[in-house]
Amino acid sequence: MGGHREKDTDAALLRAVADGDSTAMAALYDRHAGWLHMRLARRCGDVEAVREVLQDTFVTVWRSAAAHRGEEVGGWLWTIAARRLVDARRAQERTARIETSPMDAIRVEHESSVAAPSTEERVLAGLEFGEVGTALGRISPELRDVLRATVVDGLTTRETARLLGIPEGTVKSRAMRARAELRSALAHLSPTPLGGPA
């Protein structure tokens, strides 16, 4: 009976997936697809993009299950899904910039969204296109990557470390430096504090 339980753990399912067991893959999908879908949908209002990211996530799991290093499987899956979502958004932005003018891209994005943008999506748009986006562009890429992973994607320090391939201590120190550099960049963009004297 204890052996049967061991066969049903995420780690055991992932080992079976690494050996090419499609039944184990189906069990892993059934166990995790629901919460992954909900978490992705909170970050992206495009239903089709969420579906594709979820599919890409499990294709990646099927192909790279042997690369799993024993960490918590749910965190590993979310790291893959978050990276796929970021990649999908970047690809959509590149396509929109190439194929349309900025105003057309905004109109097409607005018309194609099934639901009104979530608060989180509006914040993300502000991060990309507002003063925060400009300030983000002024800090070094390795610091920007840590901020995007921890703040935008909502990853933990451990998940961010795994995603970026750096130690957890480095994630923490870069996050502190990134916030300081971001504050400084924002101060240069808006030297007058909100509500304060000139």
Side-chain angles (χ1 to χ4, degrees), residues 30 33 50 54-55 60-61 69 72 78 86 94 102 112 135 153:
D30 289 345
V50 168
L54 187 64
Q55 181 179 353
T60 300
V61 169
R69 306 240 183 269
E72 198 269 322
W78 175 245
V86 169
R94 278 192 301 272
S112 66
D153 296 333

Side-chain angles (χ1 to χ4, degrees), residues 2 12 21 47 64 69 71 74 88 94 96 105 136 166 172 179 194:
D21 185 339
V47 176
S64 62
R69 306 240 183 269
E71 64 268 22
R94 278 192 301 272
L136 273 173
I166 57 177
K172 291 176 184 176
R179 287 183 177 98
L194 291 177

